[in-house]
Amino acid sequence: MPVVAARSEPAGGSNPRDPAVSLLADTTLLVVWSAGSPGEIRGQRLNTSLEVQGSELGLSGTAETTSARPRTASSGDAFAVVWEEGGGTVMLTTLGADGVVRVGATELATGGVTGPVVAPDLLGGFAVAYQNATDVELIRVNADGVPQAEPLRFTGGSRPELAAIPDGGFVVAYLAGGSVRLARVGCVP
């Protein structure tokens, strides 16, 4: 039977919401959330005993536009955090296990895109999926947050989710035509 081994309340700021968590190298957790009004993305590193490591992180840079729905993943020696900003832009930032931001808040996709999700690509980078007005798009970025090719499009898709496959690639799940659809996507350098 499961038991609670530890508890922590790292989420600060006003009105914290939308938490997401990822684990890097089996030792460092990153929890991210949106907070405040109109909203900013915050983060906190913890060890696996849920002890806070370092200071709370401001990841979105500014609270002038609404930043919401953060998601995080780890790959290699870095975390990636993606979120929706201003109701139509997907943003990305990367940081190391030490909490040092490597790539500050950067636009990854614009033009009415929403619902970003992120997964490790097992090559030290990340895959990010999001929904545009009519489709789901998937893009791979390297550890520096630089897109590695044009986005792969899943026509008529919405509400994407991603899972990394241990031997490489991803499974993309999304809704389309009244059905849940899955696609296995290979990942090559």
Side-chain angles (χ1 to χ4, degrees):
M1 182 162 85
V3 297
V4 174
R7 292 181 191 266
S8 182
E9 291 186 32
S14 72
N15 191 26
R17 58 201 175 278
D18 304 323
V21 65
S22 62
L23 176 66
L24 178 65
D26 296 335
T27 60
T28 305
L29 292 162
L30 176 66
V31 62
V32 295
W33 65 93
S34 53
S37 179
E40 63 181 314
I41 304 304
R42 309 294 299 168
Q44 179 66 62
R45 294 176 310 111
L46 302 100
N47 65 23
T48 55
S49 296
L50 303 185
E51 296 164 334
V52 170
Q53 306 293 300
S55 301
E56 187 175 301
L57 304 162
L59 300 173
S60 56
T62 179
E64 294 176 13
T65 60
T66 301
S67 298
R69 298 184 187 100
R71 299 290 289 270
T72 183
S74 67
S75 183
D77 65 350
F79 291 103
V81 180
V82 296
W83 67 92
E84 210 176 288
E85 188 158 284
T89 300
V90 170
M91 301 293 289
L92 167 86
T93 192
T94 65
L95 59 148
D98 57 3
V100 174
V101 173
R102 295 181 179 176
V103 176
T106 304
E107 286 184 358
L108 187 59
T110 61
V113 292
T114 60
V117 293
V118 61
D121 73 358
L122 307 179
L123 298 172
F126 300 91
V128 179
Y130 49 85
Q131 177 181 332
N132 65 26
T134 59
D135 307 314
V136 163
E137 292 182 344
L138 172 74
I139 191 164
R140 183 177 164 263
V141 298
N142 66 18
D144 295 323
V146 177
Q148 298 301 290
E150 291 297 314
L152 180 60
R153 181 167 284 129
F154 300 91
T155 305
S158 66
R159 300 184 52 102
E161 287 293 338
L162 286 175
I165 298 172
D167 62 352
F170 309 92
V171 173
V172 181
Y174 59 97
L175 296 175
S179 298
V180 172
R181 298 193 182 174
L182 300 173
R184 183 173 175 159
V185 178
C187 184
V188 294

